[in-house]
Amino acid sequence: MSFTLKQLRYAIAVAETNHFGRAATVCNISQPALSQQIQAIEDFCGTPLFDRLNRAVRPTPFGREFIERARRVIDGADALAAFAIGQAGNPERPIRFGLIPTVAPYLLPEIFPALTKNLPGLDFAVSENRTEALIAGLVDGSLDIALIGTDAPEHGPKLTSAALFDDPFVLATSRDEETAAPVALSTLAPERILLLDEGHCFRDQTIAACRLDSDLSARTFAATSLSTIVEFVANGQGVTLLPQIALRKEATDPRIAIHQLVSPGAGRRLSLVWREATPFADMFAQIAGIIRETRAGKAARAA
């Protein structure tokens, strides 16, 4: 028996997510099928790759070494494929571009026309997903670039991160509420802060900025989108932080009031990330530059 690249990608995905179900979702395969492939590797090796715990899995000592070696194999295979594709200059397929949900609907209308204008020979296949899934997509090769609002992870294949721009947070309240601006986050009632559901990096950033304890954040109402949260805020059912990038779309309701935060406030830095082992690094850096310049131009016009 020899291991297939798919099997190695499955094992890496399980190690990255610490969960068979999430790994199966990332790999676009059913969980039983993924488990069967992992079992086939373990049968060949004669020892488990993972310790099966109650709610998660962890690599065994042998599994950790296996995963590290598997990553090197996958990196080499991906670099070889990228080299072959890159001989024609531009990739023959669309650039697979993933964005987090708290950016995609707000930034894409700005940057997509600029990208297609400045890079007329390229096509883009755009998708939206949470940070964890986007990073997994870079790891398994299903994505070429990803726009995220957190630091790129240090584990796994080496990733190149190009900073785009800072995205400050503001406070959204019902217009009927009396709020003195600028607002100090420490003055907010924790139980009134509305959050996105688990898995969104913006949720984690809000929890950190507002210093919510884990028990309270677990009990707080959680929504699947900022639009849903804003509707609750408009009806006086709580307050929320919003990224400034979302205001043009989410703050148009006359029932909503937007308040600046007391310095230093809170915010995030948006970055474009891609695998270091790619022949298209210069192209991806050019894409990052176009996004950066487009956003800066819009900010200058709004000033």
Side-chain angles (χ1 to χ4, degrees):
M1 172 187 170
S2 61
F3 305 121
T4 67
L5 292 179
K6 278 191 174 182
Q7 285 176 319
L8 297 183
R9 292 187 193 277
Y10 296 159
I12 292 170
V14 174
E16 296 286 353
T17 61
N18 296 320
H19 195 277
F20 278 91
R22 288 194 291 269
T25 299
V26 166
C27 296
N28 196 27
I29 186 176
S30 69
Q31 182 173 338
L34 180 139
S35 297
Q36 185 178 25
Q37 293 301 314
I38 298 299
Q39 187 64 54
I41 298 175
E42 293 178 326
D43 289 345
F44 177 80
C45 296
T47 187
L49 294 184
F50 302 99
D51 288 323
R52 278 72 165 173
L53 308 176
N54 287 335
R55 296 186 177 181
V57 296
R58 295 287 187 275
T60 63
F62 171 81
R64 284 194 294 271
E65 178 67 19
F66 184 94
I67 295 300
E68 288 306 312
R69 291 173 180 266
R71 286 191 178 116
R72 293 198 289 269
V73 172
I74 293 298
D75 286 346
D78 288 346
L80 178 60
F83 168 77
I85 295 172
Q87 293 311 291
N90 289 342
E92 295 182 355
R93 55 167 174 75
I95 298 295
R96 298 163 299 183
F97 186 4
L99 301 92
I100 53 177
T102 55
V103 166
Y106 315 117
L107 189 61
L108 275 177
E110 289 182 20
I111 66 171
F112 203 70
L115 291 174
T116 54
K117 177 182 177 181
N118 289 278
L119 301 169
L122 290 183
D123 293 321
F124 292 87
V126 178
S127 60
E128 180 181 308
N129 216 325
R130 300 180 184 185
T131 302
E132 180 181 291
L134 295 183
I135 296 301
L138 295 176
V139 170
D140 67 21
S142 61
L143 285 178
D144 297 307
I145 54 177
L147 201 160
I148 62 175
T150 60
D151 294 332
E154 296 181 358
H155 62 278
K158 292 183 179 180
L159 301 177
T160 297
S161 179
L164 300 176
F165 58 89
D166 291 330
D167 187 22
F169 298 162
V170 297
L171 180 71
T173 69
S174 166
R175 191 164 294 278
D176 294 335
E177 294 190 24
E178 293 186 5
T179 305
V183 178
L185 290 174
S186 60
T187 64
L188 299 179
E191 66 275 7
R192 298 200 68 233
I193 300 172
L194 304 181
L195 301 170
L196 289 171
D197 60 6
E198 292 187 8
H200 288 278
C201 59
F202 184 68
R203 171 192 171 92
D204 298 334
Q205 291 162 342
T206 299
I207 289 173
C210 298
R211 299 182 180 181
L212 300 179
D213 63 61
S214 57
D215 291 339
L216 180 60
S217 65
R219 295 196 302 270
T220 302
F221 164 84
T224 58
S225 71
L226 291 178
S227 297
T228 301
I229 289 181
V230 168
E231 184 61 30
F232 275 79
V233 171
N235 285 300
Q237 295 173 281
V239 301
T240 195
L241 294 186
L242 288 177
Q244 191 173 62
I245 194 176
L247 296 186
R248 185 176 62 175
K249 182 174 181 180
E250 303 296 356
T252 58
D253 192 322
R255 298 173 298 165
I256 290 289
I258 300 298
H259 312 276
Q260 300 300 315
L261 303 179
V262 171
S263 181
R268 60 185 178 178
R269 172 163 291 182
L270 301 183
S271 301
L272 193 69
V273 183
W274 59 88
R275 289 184 68 136
E276 187 177 281
T278 175
F280 306 122
D282 290 344
M283 179 193 305
F284 297 158
Q286 185 179 2
I287 291 172
I290 292 171
I291 296 173
R292 198 180 297 117
E293 292 170 9
T294 301
R295 184 64 186 176
K298 180 174 178 58
R301 290 190 298 272

